[in-house]
Each structure stands twice: as C-alpha cells, then as structure tokens.
C-alpha cells in the first residue's frame, strides 16, 4: 500500500514528551477541578454548581463543538469543493448570539437542567420530552460520536499506523475517567486547556502549510490547476470520468454560490444552515448545558461572544490547509479514478478525507508531529467527553426519573456515571460499522442527516419560546409530521446511496433533487405552519402555567403552576415512601469498609442521609437573570462589534 | 505539406491542452473583495441604527401609554382604600378585597402591555419597581391607620 511509506511512528523523544505532557496536563486539570466544586449534588455534577465564569464557558462551547470530525471533514470538503463549507462555521457566529440573548434567559429563569425538562414544563405531558430525549440520544450516537471517532480513526491510521481498536479504546477510557469522576466542571476546565492546544497546533500547521506553497496569493493561483495526473477511466465499459469530476470548482473561493448549480447554494447557506444551527446551538443539550453552568447571564453572553470569535478561526485553520493539501498532493487528495482511490485510502468514492492527516505527516517537522497528535486527541476527547456528559444528563434526568421516580440524588449521580460507561461501550462497538460505511464526504453526511431530522425540533423550540399560543397538541403533531417528512427524504437517500461524481446515484429527482439545505428550510416552515394551525384549533395554555417559560414573560415574578406538577408530586411521594422504607437500613450503612470509603471520597458521595430540604432549596434558588447595566451595555456593544466583524468576513469572501 | 502536417497537429495539440487547462472562464468579481466587505458592514450598521431608533420610539410611546393608564388606576385604588378605612371592617376582609383589586390591576396590565413590555423593559424596569413601591406604600399606610383606629 502506498501509504505505508508515509506513516511515521512517533518514536523520537520530542514527540513522545509532548504527548505525555499533554495527557498529564489534561488529567491534572481534571483532578484539580474535582476539588473546586461539590460534585455530590445534581446541580454540582451536571451543572458545575452554576459557578463558571465566562472564559471556561466560551472555551467549552468552542471545544465541545470542534471535534476531530471538523479537522478531517472541513479540510476534506475544503479540498474537494472550496471555501463554502466554512460558511457552516461562520453561520454559527450569529446563532451563538441568538443563544445567549434570546434562549438562555428563558432556560435560566425556567430553572431547568435538560431541554426535555424545559419542554415538559412548557407544554405539559410526557410524550414530547420523551420524543426529544430519544431523538437526541440517537442523533448523538449516529452523527456526533460516530463521525468524531471515524475521523480520529482516519487520522490515526493515516498518520501513525496504530491499531484502531487499541488506540480508540485507550482514548475513550482516558476520556471516561475524567468525565465520570469530575462531572461538568472538570469538562469545562479541561476544555479550556484543549482549546489552547487545538488553536496553537492548528496555527502551527497553517503557518507551515502556507510557507510550503508560498503564501495566500499562491493558494489563490494554484488551486484552480490542482488536477491529478490520472484522470482517464480504467474501465470505460463501466464508467466514464467527466472533467468536472476532477477539476477544482471555478467558484471555489466564494461563500455564496449559484442557487441551482452550486454544491452549496447561497439561500441554503444563509438560511438552511441557520435552521440546523438553531437546533445545534440553541436547543441541544450539549451546548445549552454549558451556558446553564455559568455564574450569571452576563457571563453567558460574554462566553457566547468568545465562542463566536473563536469560530472565525476554522476557516483559516482547517479549510485553507485542506485546499493547500490538494495543491501539494493532487494525485492523492484529489484522486478521481476509483481504483486509484481504493489503493490510496481504501475507499472508491474519493480521498479528500486524508487531506489534513497528509499535511500533518508531510509538512510538520518531527518535533511538532506530537503536538498535532495532541491537537487531534484534544479535539476528539473534548467533543466526546461533552457528548458523554450531556447524554448521561439526558438519560438520568429524563428517562431514569421516569422509570424510578423515587430515586434520590445519590442514585441519579451513580446512574449518570454508569450511563457514561455504557455509552463508551456502545461507541466502541460502533467503530466497525463506521469503518464499513466509509464515505467520501464526511461533513456532508453529518450535515445532511441533521438537515433531515433537526428542523422540526428547531421549529418547536423557537415557537415554544416566542409564541405563547403554541400548546402541547400542536407541538406534538408538528414533531410527528416533521419527522415523517424528514424520513421521507432521508430513507430513500440512504437506500439509493448518495453516489459520487463518477457513479451518480439513481435516486429520482422528486425524492433527492432538492438540496438538503433547501429541504431544511422547507421542513422548518412546514413544521411551523403545522404547529401553529393545530395549536390554534385547540385550547391555549393559560398564562399562569407559562411564567418564566416564554420570552415575553421571562421577567415575571408570579408563582407558576407547573404543568408537570403531577409528575413532581408523584416523584415526591415515591421518595417519601422510599425514605420510610430505608429508615432501618440507615443504621447498617454506618459500618462501611475502607474500600467503600475510598471510592466514596473519589466520587465525592458524601453524607449517608439525604436531606429533602436540600433538593427544595436548590429548586427555590431560581437563577436570577438580572444584569448589571454597565456590564450589560459592555456585552451588548461587544456583540455588535463581533457581528460587524462576521459581516465583514462574509462580505469579503462572498 | 510534409513538415506542415506535424506542425499543425502539434499546434492544435498545444492549443487543445491550453484550452483544457483553463476550461471554463475564471470567476470574475465585479468589486474588489475588501470593498464588498466594507459595503456589507456599512449596510449592517445602518440596519442596526434603524432598529435602535425604531425601538427607542416604540418604547417611548408604550411608556407614555402606561403612565397615562397608571394615573387612571392609582386614584381609583386610593379612593377605595380611604372609603374602606372609613367603614370599620375586619382586617382579613380588607386585606382580601385590597389584594383582589391589586391582582386585577396587575393582570390587566400584564395581558395588554406585555408585547410592548418585553421589548422595553430594560429601560422601564426601574419604573415598574417604582410602581410596585407606590402600591406598597399605600398598603402599609392603610395598615398603620387601621392599627391606630383600633
């Protein structure tokens, strides 16, 4: 295999010391943060005690979002089709401000920990929150976890030649160690470290890559002629290769492309990505949980601005190096003949995914390869850890409390930790599936699956927060209708296959003809209309159930009659009976063995007796969303500046 | 004719390969990139300024409307309170009816005003707190008088 000669074993002292130093730093920060917050309570474990300041919030938002899938996917799609894929990142600049200014104030005053809990309070009933929990967990496993692990696997295979299973299992175990013990606080502090590592390493690689080709103007000049030497079909009976399959696109350096012939049409880029973005940034547990852990609303907003500025970087740190990689290695990264591609990267569709690992191997001097490995590990571990923690929050607070309403805090925290281990096991079992389904355009795959499944959820959340008239029946039938419509598009496309330029898919135009970003917009609008129509035809929800649950009532101080009070009552009564049953067993627990005590201190499970007052106290300390006026104006002005910078970047590259 | 044929064919080959390399015409930009950036930013700042002005005008209008309504309701409450103090009732009853009057006013205010309220409350939060303060002052004065009457 041609790529054997390009594999480098990390064997020199500099590389090894960098990697070891990185792991020591991450684990050290993880353990240090364990002593800073009380992890024995639900609020402490899942929400870091609501005490984080703006810089861990911002860094954690960025590191949770940027995974190894971004490195491999953004660079690969950039190599294949130019800078438009950076629009996904730059769209988030505005969506993250929506999160901080419009959505988080409502989530904070509502006093919720998970998003399904918010929907339960807002609409009442249990079917909507159950739907959201299940769909979120499935989306995590099939899009985020599998893609990040696949990208990590591609990098490890291409650049290092290590055994896939051993390396991924080792990574997952290290991640699980500090996720399980430390909770959200450990994650957010380690994410700050990971952010520095990611940006430092990626900057180094970008610098070396630009030096290799001779600067930005050389990139502009040479990209258009980066064609491979082999482009004639080896089997003309089976297929022919047209020139557009291997020639770089003419509009490679524009963000906004032709709406009908472009691969990322501009209405889709401007609005379709926003729809998926509203789901990802404003209503998904992973991201919102980090904002809920902040000390105050001003800290949330400042953290969102920091995350926005950091999201300017991936275009320069990942997309441009991907294009440079194609210029330097047109025969490997830009291969088009299926037999060639199979030889180079074991997949016939195309080898654009190896763009970033190839650069790391060839352009970085030997001391810094260890740094790049640390960067990839940082991206992989930070994203995976965040997903593990949030999925365990979802499972514990929404699904487990439904199965066992009498569960006390201690049991919830233990269940949360056990679920992380379960999901690690599921992820390991998912590796062979992901390897078998290797497809050429990784980033496209995530984005298209999100575009088919997330617009109904985004519509529900947007309407739930801003339109009081929307009620439970409307929301539920809107979700079901949206799911049906999304599946109508997703299943045929998976059945027929996405195809490639050389072997186009034979999916009929009616089913697969509309671009997935346009489909996201259509699905969003249809779901919203359906929700509004069904809501107007049924009973409204009275204001007294909606105080502090909608944007217009976020400052109201009246008492709210929770729509899920029945479930809360049921849970309280179940806990009372459990406590009475366990009164005798408390005496037994006094005699604990040494090992039990050690494990307990590691997991900070202090206190044998549960005080019900503690739980009530936490619920009564409603997060306060008032802001100091001086800081409010500072933060608003900063947001305006950031939006101006974002608009300038869009205008420059449009 | 002999040497001409290879010459012509090689010329055609060269032209053909050049043509193949350039292919479709390069993407032409009408304005330099930095200029489109600047135009986009100025457009954005203009829109923000317009939105800011509109919000200011709208909030002033709504606060003027609310002030006029407050001056309508406040005397009604005071009048009710004084008439109650004249008639000696048990404190519990007075409290209840007083509370329902307050509640009624609050609900009426929130249902009609909330659309404008949420957009403007940043500037008028203090005013709202002052409104409550007024009610509370009236309430406590009422209690004190009741105590001395008894």
């Amino acid at each position: 295999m041609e790529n054997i000669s390009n594999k480098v074993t990390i064997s020199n002292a500099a590389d090894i010391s960098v990697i070891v130093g990185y792991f020591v730093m991450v684990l050290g920060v993880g353990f240090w943060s364990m002593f800073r917050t009380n992890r024995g309570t639900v609020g402490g474990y899942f929400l870091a005690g609501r005490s984080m300041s703006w810089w861990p919030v911002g860094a954690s938002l960025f590191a949770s979002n940027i995974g190894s899938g971004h490195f491999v996917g953004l660079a690969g799609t950039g190599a294949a089709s130019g800078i438009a894929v950076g629009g996904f990142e730059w769209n988030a600049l505005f969506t993250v401000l929506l999160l901080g200014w419009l959505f988080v104030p409502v989530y904070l005053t509502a006093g919720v920990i998970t998003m399904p809990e918010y929907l339960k309070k807002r609409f009442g009933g249990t079917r909507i929150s159950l739907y959201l929990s299940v769909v979120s967990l499935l989306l995590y496993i099939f899009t985020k976890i599998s893609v990040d692990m696949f990208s990590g696997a591609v990098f490890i295979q291409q650049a290092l030649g290590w055994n896939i299973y051993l390396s991924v299992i080792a990574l997952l175990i290290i991640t699980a160690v500090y996720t399980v013990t430390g909770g959200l606080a450990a994650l957010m502090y380690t994410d700050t470290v990971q952010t520095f590592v990611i940006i430092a390493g990626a900057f180094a690689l970008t610098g070396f890559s630009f030096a290799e080709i001779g600067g930005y103007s050389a990139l502009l000049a040479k990209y258009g002629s980066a064609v491979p030497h082999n482009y004639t079909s080896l089997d003309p009976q089976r297929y022919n290769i047209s020139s557009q399959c291997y020639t770089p696109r003419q509009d490679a350096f524009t963000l906004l492309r032709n709406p009908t012939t472009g691969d990322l049409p501009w209405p889709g880029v401007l609005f379709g990505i926003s729809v998926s973005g509203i789901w990802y940034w404003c209503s998904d547990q992973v991201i919102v949980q980090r904002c809920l852990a902040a000390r105050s609303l001003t800290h949330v907003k400042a953290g969102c601005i920091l995350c926005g500025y950091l999201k300017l970087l991936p275009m320069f740190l990942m997309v441009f190096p991907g294009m440079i990689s194609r210029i330097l290695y047109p025969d490997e990264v830009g291969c088009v003949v299926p037999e060639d591609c199979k030889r180079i990267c074991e997949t016939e569709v195309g080898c654009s995914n190896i763009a970033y690992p190839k650069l790391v191997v060839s352009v970085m001097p030997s001391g810094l390869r260890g740094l790049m490995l640390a960067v990839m590990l940082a991206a992989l571990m930070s994203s995976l850890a965040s997903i593990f923690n949030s999925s365990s929050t979802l499972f514990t607070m929404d699904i487990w409390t439904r199965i066992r309403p009498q569960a006390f805090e201690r049991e919830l925290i233990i269940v949360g930790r056990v679920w992380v281990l379960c999901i690690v096991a599921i992820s390991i079992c998912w590796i062979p599936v992901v390897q078998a389904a290797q497809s050429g355009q990784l980033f496209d795959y995530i984005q298209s699956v999100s575009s088919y499944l997330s617009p109904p959820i985004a519509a529900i959340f947007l309407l739930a927060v801003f339109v009081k008239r929307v009620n439970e029946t409307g929301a539920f039938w809107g979700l079901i209708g949206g799911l049906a419509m999304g599946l109508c598009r997703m299943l045929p496309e998976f059945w027929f296959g996405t195809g490639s330029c050389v072997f186009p898919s034979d999916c009929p135009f009616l089913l697969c003809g509309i671009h997935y970003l346009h489909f996201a917009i259509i699905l969003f609008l249809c779901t919203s209309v359906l929700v509004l129509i069904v809501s107007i035809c049924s009973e409204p929800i009275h204001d007294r159930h909606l105080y502090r649950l909608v944007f217009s009532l976020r400052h109201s101080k009246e008492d709210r009659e929770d729509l899920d009070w029945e479930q809360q009552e049921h849970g309280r009564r179940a806990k009372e009976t459990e406590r009475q049953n366990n009164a005798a067993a408390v005496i037994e627990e006094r005699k604990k063995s040494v090992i039990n005590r050690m494990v307990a201190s590691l997991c900070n499970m202090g206190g044998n007796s549960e005080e019900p007052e503690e739980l009530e106290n936490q619920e009564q300390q409603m997060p306060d969303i008032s802001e100091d006026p001086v800081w409010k104006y500072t933060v608003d002005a900063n947001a305006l500046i950031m939006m101006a910078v974002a608009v300038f970047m869009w205008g420059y590259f449009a | 004719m002999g040497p001409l044929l290879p010459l012509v064919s090689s010329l055609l080959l060269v032209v053909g390969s050049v043509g193949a390399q350039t292919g479709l015409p390069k993407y032409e930009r009408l304005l330099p990139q930095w200029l489109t950036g600047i135009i986009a930013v100025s457009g954005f700042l203009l829109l923000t300024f317009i939105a800011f002005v509109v919000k200011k005008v709208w909030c002033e209008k709504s606060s003027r409307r609310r002030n006029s309504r407050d001056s309508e309701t406040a005397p009604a409450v005071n009048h009710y309170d004084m008439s109650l103090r004249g008639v000696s009732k048990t404190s519990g009853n007075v409290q209840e009816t007083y509370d329902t009057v307050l509640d009624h006013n609050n609900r009426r205010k929130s249902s009609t005003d909330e659309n404008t309220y949420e957009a403007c409350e940043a500037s008028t939060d203090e005013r709202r707190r002052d409104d409550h303060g007024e009610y509370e002052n009236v309430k406590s004065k009422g209690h004190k008088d009741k105590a001395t009457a008894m």
Side-chain angles (χ1 to χ4, degrees), chain A residues 244-257:
Chain A
Q244 62 163 10
C245 289
Y246 56 86
T247 322
R249 295 182 63 93
Q250 288 305 312
D251 53 5
F253 284 96
T254 57
L255 277 177
L256 305 175
R257 298 181 179 174

Side-chain angles (χ1 to χ4, degrees), chain A residues 75-93:
Chain A
T77 314
S81 57
I83 68 170
V85 71
F88 285 95
E89 301 299 299
W90 282 359
N91 199 298
L93 287 159

Side-chain angles (χ1 to χ4, degrees), chain A residues 151-185:
Chain A
S151 313
V154 164
F155 182 81
I156 291 171
Q157 261 181 336
Q158 284 293 316
L160 301 172
W162 289 354
N163 181 313
I164 278 293
Y165 285 95
L166 284 182
S167 29
V168 172
I169 288 173
L171 280 178
L172 289 176
I173 289 177
I174 295 178
T175 313
V177 161
Y178 70 79
T179 309
V180 162
T181 50
L184 186 66

Side-chain angles (χ1 to χ4, degrees), chain A residues 103-349:
Chain A
F103 284 86
V104 169
V106 176
Y107 297 148
L108 277 177
T109 43
V112 294
I113 298 180
T114 67
M115 293 297 98
E117 190 184 342
Y118 168 75
L119 287 184
K120 216 184 333 171
K121 286 197 193 292
R122 168 68 174 84
F123 291 121
T126 53
R127 48 190 186 171
I128 296 181
S129 66
L130 184 66
Y131 172 91
L132 185 68
S133 317
V134 170
V135 166
S136 299
L137 284 174
L138 286 177
L139 273 174
Y140 288 165
I141 295 176
F142 294 129
T143 56
K144 301 184 193 184
I145 296 182
S146 61
V147 162
D148 277 340
M149 278 179 21
F150 170 70
S151 313
V154 164
F155 182 81
I156 291 171
Q157 261 181 336
Q158 284 293 316
L160 301 172
W162 289 354
N163 181 313
I164 278 293
Y165 285 95
L166 284 182
S167 29
V168 172
I169 288 173
L171 280 178
L172 289 176
I173 289 177
I174 295 178
T175 313
V177 161
Y178 70 79
T179 309
V180 162
T181 50
L184 186 66
L187 279 185
M188 289 177 78
Y189 285 120
T190 51
D191 276 350
T192 314
V193 171
Q194 319 268 32
T195 306
F196 279 119
V197 172
I198 290 173
I199 294 180
F203 256 116
L205 182 78
T206 311
F208 279 109
S209 315
F210 272 110
E212 188 81 8
I213 58 159
Y216 181 66
S217 45
L219 169 66
L220 293 173
K222 293 186 193 170
Y223 182 76
S225 43
V227 289
H229 291 110
N230 302 340
Y231 52 81
T232 48
S233 165
L234 292 181
D235 188 357
Q237 305 290 344
R238 203 159 60 104
Y239 61 87
N240 265 325
I241 303 180
S242 72
S243 69
Q244 62 163 10
C245 289
Y246 56 86
T247 322
R249 295 182 63 93
Q250 288 305 312
D251 53 5
F253 284 96
T254 57
L255 277 177
L256 305 175
R257 298 181 179 174
N258 191 299
T260 40
T261 62
D263 60 339
L264 285 172
W266 67 262
V269 166
L270 288 181
F271 304 113
I273 301 181
S274 306
V275 167
S276 301
I278 290 178
W279 165 70
Y280 184 89
W281 292 96
C282 304
S283 67
D284 191 52
Q285 183 64 26
V286 175
I287 297 294
V288 174
Q289 200 171 340
R290 271 134 193 82
C291 290
L292 293 179
R295 188 172 295 183
S296 75
L297 188 60
T298 315
H299 283 275
V300 171
K301 293 183 177 178
C304 289
I305 295 177
L306 173 65
C307 177
Y309 277 120
L310 291 174
K311 285 291 265 181
L312 281 172
L313 300 175
M315 172 73 95
F316 306 105
L317 299 182
M318 293 164 214
V319 178
F320 284 157
M323 298 170 82
I324 292 173
S325 182
R326 182 173 182 174
I327 295 176
L328 294 174
Y329 309 104
D331 294 316
E332 284 110 342
V333 176
C335 75
V336 66
V337 180
E339 286 81 1
D340 275 351
C341 292
K342 189 136 185 90
R343 181 174 42 90
I344 293 169
C345 61
E346 290 154 34
T347 183
E348 284 193 349
V349 177

Side-chain angles (χ1 to χ4, degrees), chain A residues 506-529:
Chain A
D506 49 353
C507 188
F509 180 82
L510 203 64
L511 287 171
C512 302
I514 307 177
H515 193 273
Y516 65 83
L517 289 175
H518 291 155
F519 185 79
I521 304 173
I522 296 172
L523 183 55
F524 178 81
L525 292 173
C526 288
T527 310
S528 311
V529 163

Side-chain angles (χ1 to χ4, degrees), chain A residues 216 224 250-251 253-254 256 468 543 551-556 558 632 640 643-644 647-648 651-654, chain B residues 21-22 24-27 29 33-34 36-38 40-41 44-45 48 106 110 114 117-118 121-122 125 128:
Chain A
Y216 181 66
Q250 288 305 312
D251 53 5
F253 284 96
T254 57
L256 305 175
K468 287 198 299 182
D543 263 12
F551 191 75
S552 49
L553 296 176
R554 70 193 185 283
H555 285 299
S556 55
E558 289 91 340
K632 180 166 150 46
L640 214 62
M643 277 200 280
V647 167
F648 177 77
Y652 188 88
F653 283 100
Chain B
Q21 269 169 14
T22 49
L24 300 157
K26 279 251 178 247
Y27 192 87
R29 283 188 192 274
Q33 289 189 293
W34 57 268
T36 41
I38 303 260
V41 174
F44 166 73
L45 289 175
T48 320
N106 270 345
S110 62
E114 77 210 5
Y117 187 69
E118 103 252 7
E121 66 209 18
D125 242 339
R128 188 179 196 231

